[in-house]
Amino acid sequence: MPIVFKNKAKVKKSILLGLLVSTTSFLFAQARIDDIINAKEVERIEKLLSSDDMRGRRTFTPDIDKAATFIAGEFKTIGLKTWDNSEGYRQEFAMVRPKFISAAASFDGTAIDQKNIVVVTCQPELKIDQKSGYEIAYIKTGANLFSEAQKFLRANKNYLVLVDTSFLSNFSRLSGLKRSIFKTDKNAVFVLGNAAPTKFEIEAKHEITEQSLANVVGVLPGKSKKNEYVIFSGHYDHLGVTTRPVNGDSIYNGANDDAAGTTAVIMLAKYFKALGNNERTIVFAAFTAEEIGGYGSQFFSRQFDPGKVVAMFNIEMIGTDSKWGKNSAYITGYEKTDMGSILQKNLEGTGFTFYPDPYPDQNLFYRSDNATLARLGVPAHTISTAKMDGEPNYHKLTDEISTLDMDNMAMIIKSVALSSRTIVAGKEAPARVKMEDLRSF
Ligand SMILES: [Zn+2]
């Protein structure tokens, strides 16, 4: 018996040791999360991003470049990898604004009125005919003119699109599609008419202005599931400077919108890098141009095969208390996947609650940077605390750091980190968004 006893003792000891090890590493992890994600660090990053020095981080200004440089510097210090082995963290792309000069067309020898032609192009002079290899497409009566037209632009192919004459009164509004387009060598020519020509000639002249912009993207490669992506994101652009100061203040600091989300992204990167155990690849993204049309997240989203993106946590305005008070936030599109319930399960016992979006009539799910990937089926949600029925400083000059609650922000960021752990660890994957249930553009 003594031998057995001895053996038992040994077993017990090793179990005990195992328990001790796991308890200490749990405690260690707990201690470390507070070391990394805390109010002081939130304040440090928030202060810089929302400082007057950044002048409201407006897209297409040198001011937003300052913010990009700061974020890239943080990613570098943390030790993130770059996306796709690119040289730096800046994910640069160009937007083009073609200003209309003239257009002319003839279909089977009959001239078309200039007002019935809209050419979306990045080329100053475009001249095409039936031999140019353009695919002929139609927007039929009863269709949603703008969402159909946008589909042709997104397809990134050369199109001659015949727009049914029932759209006569709206046709000219298609030129709005030229307000900002991603730089491309493909063209979409819209002509009001029902019958496709056998022979055609189309010419268009535009004055082309090209502007460059950049997301800031860093990566933590997964240990085993490298090709499965978990994205944490927020937008770092805001509204810039106004020419009509109020009380001597002219800078839209955007401390909450969305320096707060960007701060969260930086701190989550630091946390997951320190943990060093993510099985899936984590991508950290600070988006540009959210306030002027979501171009940054659209460009970013196109770099992925959506089937490989397991989840997207977009973080937008978490600097103030939610309508339920502290230790809570809401998730847009909560009912569209089971991601919210996975997150909530991982937070059991913490006292923190993720609620469904209480402002469904504001269509927040469709309005933020999660929307592009969500439309492709990705469980992509926005996490926020903003009281959209009355956030006092929303899009105002008064959206300053002094109006934010640093402690609560740190708590929210910690909760996002903890809530995502089974997803980051490759153990769980939220259900996909059912694309057919989404409303069109
Ligand atoms: Zn905004």
Side-chain angles (χ1 to χ4, degrees):
M1 296 303 276
I3 295 168
V4 175
F5 181 71
K6 254 189 185 170
N7 275 348
K8 254 190 182 169
K10 251 186 193 165
V11 170
K12 263 190 183 163
K13 204 175 162 192
S14 67
I15 289 172
L16 208 72
L17 248 173
L19 270 174
L20 264 175
V21 166
S22 61
T23 316
T24 39
S25 66
F26 178 70
L27 284 175
F28 184 50
Q30 288 300 300
R32 209 153 56 170
I33 195 166
D34 289 325
D35 283 350
I36 296 170
I37 306 176
N38 53 59
K40 209 175 143 207
E41 180 68 353
V42 171
E43 190 172 3
R44 177 185 73 85
I45 302 171
E46 256 294 346
K47 236 183 197 160
L48 277 153
L49 283 172
S50 66
S51 67
D52 281 358
D53 195 40
M54 300 271 181
R55 293 175 51 81
R57 311 182 302 278
R58 188 183 177 86
T59 307
F60 303 131
T61 66
D63 308 317
I64 192 170
D65 281 335
K66 244 185 204 176
T69 303
F70 166 71
I71 299 161
E74 293 288 314
F75 282 0
K76 189 170 183 197
T77 308
I78 292 165
L80 298 184
K81 298 263 188 287
T82 59
W83 172 250
D84 214 9
N85 293 318
S86 58
E87 238 171 76
Y89 299 104
R90 288 171 69 102
Q91 182 181 64
E92 300 196 13
F93 58 102
M95 304 288 300
V96 170
R97 180 176 287 210
K99 193 172 151 210
F100 179 75
I101 299 170
S102 66
S106 75
F107 276 16
D108 296 317
T110 308
I112 309 266
D113 197 326
Q114 176 171 287
K115 71 176 193 309
N116 294 334
I117 310 164
V118 169
V119 179
V120 183
T121 181
C122 298
Q123 294 167 35
E125 287 189 32
L126 183 73
K127 206 170 178 181
I128 61 164
D129 60 26
Q130 67 283 353
K131 288 177 283 212
S132 307
Y134 276 52
E135 189 173 324
I136 295 185
Y138 299 87
I139 297 180
K140 296 265 165 72
T141 180
N144 182 325
L145 177 61
F146 292 96
S147 68
E148 285 299 304
Q150 269 164 344
K151 274 185 205 162
F152 292 117
L153 296 189
R154 276 199 306 275
N156 208 27
K157 276 177 24 184
N158 285 321
Y159 279 110
L160 168 58
V161 184
L162 293 155
V163 179
D164 191 275
T165 48
S166 59
F167 292 109
L168 173 70
S169 58
N170 275 337
F171 182 80
S172 66
R173 287 174 52 204
L174 284 178
S175 60
L177 296 171
K178 293 193 271 190
R179 223 166 287 143
S180 265
I181 53 183
F182 289 103
K183 192 183 181 184
T184 169
D185 58 356
K186 301 293 187 293
N187 311 293
V189 179
F190 298 91
V191 175
L192 188 71
N194 299 344
T198 329
K199 282 188 170 179
F200 65 86
E201 277 180 351
I202 299 165
E203 263 186 79
K205 286 187 182 157
H206 288 87
E207 187 188 308
I208 303 292
T209 337
E210 188 178 319
Q211 289 179 297
S212 62
L213 57 176
N215 297 318
V216 189
V217 181
V219 178
L220 271 182
K223 285 166 68 185
S224 58
K225 299 180 171 181
K226 281 194 190 335
N227 292 322
E228 296 180 16
Y229 300 102
V230 179
I231 298 167
F232 292 97
S233 63
H235 73 90
Y236 74 102
D237 71 303
H238 194 53
L239 305 171
V241 180
T242 177
T243 49
R244 285 173 298 168
V246 177
N247 299 327
D249 186 10
S250 60
I251 298 170
Y252 287 101
N253 299 79
N256 197 20
D257 182 11
D258 186 25
T262 308
T263 300
V265 170
I266 294 170
M267 296 181 73
L268 289 164
K270 201 170 174 185
Y271 171 70
F272 284 113
K273 170 71 183 178
L275 280 187
N277 62 0
N278 52 297
E279 298 294 338
R280 287 184 168 131
T281 293
I282 315 180
V283 183
F284 301 94
F287 297 133
T288 186
E290 191 271 350
E291 302 285 10
I292 59 165
Y295 303 122
S297 59
Q298 285 174 40
F299 180 83
F300 169 87
S301 302
R302 286 175 192 183
Q303 314 308 311
F304 291 90
D305 167 357
K308 291 180 178 164
V309 183
V310 177
M312 180 192 207
F313 297 77
N314 187 56
I315 304 161
E316 171 95 277
M317 301 202 284
I318 52 163
T320 56
D321 293 356
S322 78
K323 67 174 278 191
W324 306 276
K326 292 185 196 303
N327 293 323
S328 64
Y330 61 84
I331 300 179
T332 65
Y334 194 99
E335 71 294 344
K336 291 186 165 48
T337 74
D338 61 353
M339 189 157 142
S341 49
I342 291 176
L343 306 192
Q344 196 54 48
K345 179 202 68 189
N346 287 337
L347 289 177
E348 224 163 82
T350 63
F352 192 96
T353 310
F354 280 125
Y355 292 94
D357 171 11
Y359 315 106
D361 52 332
Q362 297 226 20
N363 291 313
L364 301 176
F365 181 70
Y366 298 95
R367 266 169 61 190
S368 194
D369 286 320
N370 62 294
T372 307
L373 279 171
R375 287 187 182 286
L376 298 169
V378 176
H381 299 268
T382 292
I383 293 170
S384 180
T385 57
K387 295 178 281 298
M388 292 309 287
D389 54 352
E391 194 61 58
N393 303 303
Y394 175 64
H395 278 205
K396 297 219 173 90
L397 293 163
T398 48
D399 181 0
E400 311 228 17
I401 189 168
S402 57
T403 65
L404 306 189
D405 179 341
M406 299 293 136
D407 288 309
N408 192 44
M409 250 179 90
M411 192 57 79
I412 293 163
I413 299 167
K414 273 195 281 188
S415 301
V416 172
L418 291 175
S419 72
S420 69
R421 69 177 183 274
T422 53
I423 298 172
V424 166
K427 290 182 190 149
E428 282 183 289
R432 311 294 291 176
V433 166
K434 290 192 191 74
M435 288 180 268
E436 63 275 17
D437 292 352
L438 301 183
R439 62 182 195 115
S440 59
F441 284 81

